[in-house]
Amino acid sequence: MKLDGVLVYGLGRSGRGAARFLAREGVRGEWLDARPAAEDLALMQELGWAQGDVTRPYRTVVAAPGVPIDHPDLTALRAAGAEVIGEVSLAARRRPALPMVGVTGTAGKGSTTVLVAHLLRACGLNAREGGNIDPPLLDVVDSAEVAVVELSSFQLERVPGLRLPVAVITNLGVDHIDRHGTVGAYHAAKLNITAAQQAGDVLIVPADLTVPTRAQVVTFTPARLALADGTPVLDAAALPEGIHPANAAAAILAAEALLRHLGRPVDAAALAGALATAAPVKGRFETVARVGGVRFIEDSIATRTLAVQAALERAAPPVAWLVGGRDKGADLAPLRAAAAGRVAQVIAFGEDGETLARELGLPYRVVPGATGDESMRHAARAGLEALTEQGAAACGTVLLAPVGTSFDQFRDYRERGDSFRRAAQALAEERA
């Protein structure tokens, strides 16, 4: 793969990772970004890269996942002869000897990615996670023996010919219709994870999901934490708080498949020990504070219907459910069913919180907030008050599973989650 005439289109976390990697490879490329941040410009200046121009011909364009694949600029660049790829294809082509496990899905892909890497490390491999999860994949490819890659549908739009020895689809639901246009187009992007797999590769999917593939299919269920041949690994009841059995079941099979791909022994006891000590990913159904019998759970990334539904089903009732942010068109019908008999009150915040709460048809209260931090402080307090009103000995869950994206008041879901964490911990200290 020749890299003369390369353009990094779209900076941010992924684009900066691509630029750093290319610079280490001795490539002096060009860049384009409609709204570069200060750190983007500082890196480009440090690397000595010039700003590009879509009217010039390029051999390769590394497009950040935030840029729609049908963006007019990318269309023009392709028409002029450029191949448009993403950071994952760049990593696979430049480091073909690096084994990679790819993980995608509508919900649970980040947690599963982290679990797979954790299990592989417990089995003696230097496994690093990256991709859609921090850090960028290209930041870890030269320090890893194995890469475990979280793959979003946006990333999977730009992976021509990517062949993974092991791929995981955690589930397929409804998401990102604002970007892909239809559920079918969204699912088609997700299925690119297995498009180039061959008979010797492994695809791991839920038992109720049928996927067209040439790979060997191995199925999982959350009720069975076992190897592919049925050898038990761990009882689901022994999983640490915050580790979902479905993610653990998929991770076991992915780790096993990768070990077998490398000709390594599979030690069920080592896998069990690693699962028993696994920690949940920050920002994914994590208990961040307690006030008496009330737990404050941060699941700021839960904007997909499946993820929110899982959070509602796992949260101990009664639940004060914090809903808000910017509406992205999530399917609310399954959430009404999951909330029935469990949610005491919806606490609506942010740009579209009241609209979402009204459409859910549940009792709700709207809290103010000129800033994100102010919204989270009011929401956390209102959630606690809603549960306190249920009785003198308050119990239950204040759950941030917001449905809406964070972009109305925050940079991203992590910043929103950190804000909720601070608000909840301040309440806990106040009530101590």
Side-chain angles (χ1 to χ4, degrees):
M1 177 186 178
K2 291 186 177 180
L3 288 174
D4 52 313
V6 65
L7 173 71
V8 173
Y9 193 105
L11 295 174
R13 188 174 64 87
S14 175
R16 290 194 301 271
R20 286 189 295 265
F21 175 82
L22 289 166
R24 293 195 300 272
E25 296 284 283
V27 175
R28 187 171 180 175
E30 296 182 353
W31 65 276
L32 274 176
D33 192 295
R35 294 183 298 276
E39 58 187 319
D40 297 332
L41 295 173
L43 178 61
M44 294 305 102
Q45 183 175 9
E46 177 188 334
L47 298 180
W49 283 27
Q51 189 167 356
D53 186 331
V54 293
T55 65
R56 292 204 291 271
Y58 296 94
R59 180 187 297 271
T60 304
V61 175
V62 183
V67 182
I69 199 67
D70 58 356
H71 189 286
D73 285 352
L74 297 186
T75 300
L77 288 161
R78 279 192 296 267
E83 182 187 22
V84 177
I85 63 172
E87 63 162 323
V88 179
S89 282
L90 181 59
R93 294 179 185 187
R94 299 297 289 182
R95 299 292 183 270
L98 176 67
M100 289 201 294
V101 178
V103 183
T104 196
T106 302
K109 61 184 181 295
S111 297
T112 303
T113 298
V114 171
L115 272 177
V116 174
H118 177 67
L119 295 182
L120 290 173
R121 285 191 290 268
C123 293
L125 287 168
N126 176 21
R128 298 286 305 276
E129 58 265 43
N132 193 54
I133 196 170
D134 282 332
L137 174 61
L138 289 166
D139 279 359
V140 305
V141 292
D142 290 326
S143 60
E145 192 176 1
V146 174
V148 186
V149 193
E150 180 188 343
L151 292 164
S152 70
S153 60
F154 299 169
Q155 289 172 308
L156 286 167
E157 288 179 320
R158 55 209 72 200
V159 289
L162 175 68
R163 181 180 176 183
L164 297 165
V166 181
V168 181
I169 301 175
T170 58
N171 44 55
L172 285 179
V174 179
D175 198 19
H176 297 306
I177 305 306
D178 53 338
R179 167 76 171 257
H180 296 288
T182 66
V183 175
Y186 167 63
H187 286 183
K190 288 289 195 184
L191 294 179
N192 281 336
I193 196 170
T194 188
Q197 284 192 298
Q198 301 298 322
D201 306 320
V202 175
L203 175 66
I204 296 160
V205 298
D208 59 356
L209 181 63
T210 301
V211 173
T213 182
R214 289 181 291 272
Q216 174 193 355
V217 175
V218 179
T219 63
F220 69 88
T221 70
R224 192 185 73 154
L225 306 187
L227 300 179
D229 65 1
T231 301
V233 172
L234 190 71
D235 189 283
L239 288 171
E241 181 184 59
I243 303 297
H244 196 287
N247 300 337
I252 290 168
L253 294 171
E256 177 190 11
L258 195 280
L259 289 165
R260 296 198 188 284
H261 171 76
L262 297 177
R264 297 265 193 144
V266 178
D267 185 342
L271 294 173
L275 276 178
T277 60
V281 177
K282 183 180 178 181
R284 289 170 172 83
F285 203 82
E286 181 184 2
T287 299
V288 296
R290 294 177 186 267
V291 175
V294 175
R295 286 199 305 164
F296 290 77
I297 292 181
E298 194 253 296
D299 204 355
S300 179
I301 198 173
T303 62
R304 303 165 179 86
T305 299
L306 281 174
V308 179
Q309 184 177 350
L312 286 170
E313 291 170 350
R314 292 171 66 193
V319 177
W321 178 18
L322 276 54
V323 171
R326 181 169 294 162
D327 185 6
K328 65 179 206 175
D331 181 8
L332 300 183
L335 303 184
R336 296 187 195 98
R342 302 178 65 81
V343 171
Q345 189 174 63
V346 171
I347 310 299
F349 67 90
E351 183 177 304
D352 293 321
E354 184 172 6
T355 299
L356 288 165
R358 194 164 49 242
E359 291 177 0
L360 284 165
L362 299 166
Y364 71 89
R365 170 182 171 184
V366 181
V367 297
T371 67
D373 283 345
E374 187 179 344
S375 290
M376 286 298 99
R377 285 196 297 271
H378 283 298
R381 185 174 295 275
L384 181 60
E385 289 171 355
L387 298 180
T388 303
E389 291 166 2
Q390 302 301 304
C395 63
T397 307
V398 178
L399 172 67
L400 175 64
V403 184
T405 68
S406 58
F407 304 127
D408 59 332
Q409 292 186 308
F410 300 95
R411 184 175 62 248
D412 55 30
Y413 78 89
R414 298 177 186 87
E415 186 176 79
R416 177 169 62 186
D418 287 342
S419 180
F420 174 74
R421 180 187 302 261
R422 290 192 298 270
Q425 290 174 350
L427 270 177
E429 291 174 8
E430 174 188 313
R431 300 296 178 96

